[in-house]
Amino acid sequence: MKIIFFIIIITSFTTQPLLSATDSLKPMQYNFSFNGIFGGIDKNSAQRGLQVFTEVCASCHGLNHLAYRNLEDIGYNKTQINSIAKQFLIDDIPDENGEIKKRNAIYSDKFVNPYPNEEAAKVSNNGAYPPDLTLIVKARKDGANYLRSLLLGYEDAPNGFDVGEGYYNKYMPGNVIAMPQPLYGEDVEYQDGTVPTLEQEVIDVVTFLTWTAMPELEKRKSSGIKVIIFLVIMTIFFFLSYRKIWKDVK
Ligand code: HEC
């Protein structure tokens, strides 16, 4: 009986690498501005990332958990946010005839979804659903590195590999993704004059989507640092008073 158990355990360990060999690559590692305990979201990069998102990704993906006013966090003021929002049309409240007309989005609206519902999104994308991207960086393992690798990971499929109606991507689980390569470089013209290379656009959109997934990141890190400083000071203080109190006893 024990022998059988032993064999099952050993074979399950040894077949593991064989199974995952056909699966996707581990994400490439990159040193983002928000890595490390002192790292924070680079706001200029996040603003450029918003531009990449609105000009490229927003035609297929939504950011349902975000409102335009949240953009204040990455350094925009109300007037700028209104002019970003007004590029998008949103359903107005029904008029006196019960008809719903469109109006331009404003500061207080949620980000406008490109499709009215999931079915419409699927029909436009060969049956695949472009997921909401607000939380995608948190929803995937090693999210920021995964997203960067995915956006840089399009290649011709190896000979004999059938991608069906999809595209070959080394970092997508199963190596086939229904999303056509969205970025090639020079897809946007950055307002701040930064050169829009492929790598730059990718880093910017990943920085933006890291902020949408973890808007509290900076606050969390800075309160963590405050707690550590507090603990260090208290430790020194206790140590000194310990020495003083016990000085005469020995
Ligand atoms: C033409 C429509 C289209 C555009 C434009 C587009 N996507 Fe997608 N995206 C899709 C579809 C469809 C899927 C679902 C893919 C699948 O399930 O195979 C997807 C999936 C994804 C995923 C999830 C991958 C996973 O692990 O499941 C991410 C992340 C993503 N897109 C990011 C982006 C970003 C960032 C941009 C802009 C730079 C972008 N997409 C532009 C259609 C699009």
Side-chain angles (χ1 to χ4, degrees), residues 10-25 173-175:
I10 291 296
T11 46
S12 65
F13 271 118
T14 48
T15 50
Q16 193 76 39
L18 293 178
L19 290 177
S20 51
T22 54
D23 213 349
S24 55
L25 287 180
N175 294 154

Side-chain angles (χ1 to χ4, degrees), residues 200-214:
Q200 184 69 48
E201 292 174 349
V202 168
I203 288 166
D204 292 340
V205 80
V206 172
T207 302
F208 173 67
L209 291 173
T210 300
W211 168 72
T212 64
M214 292 175 260

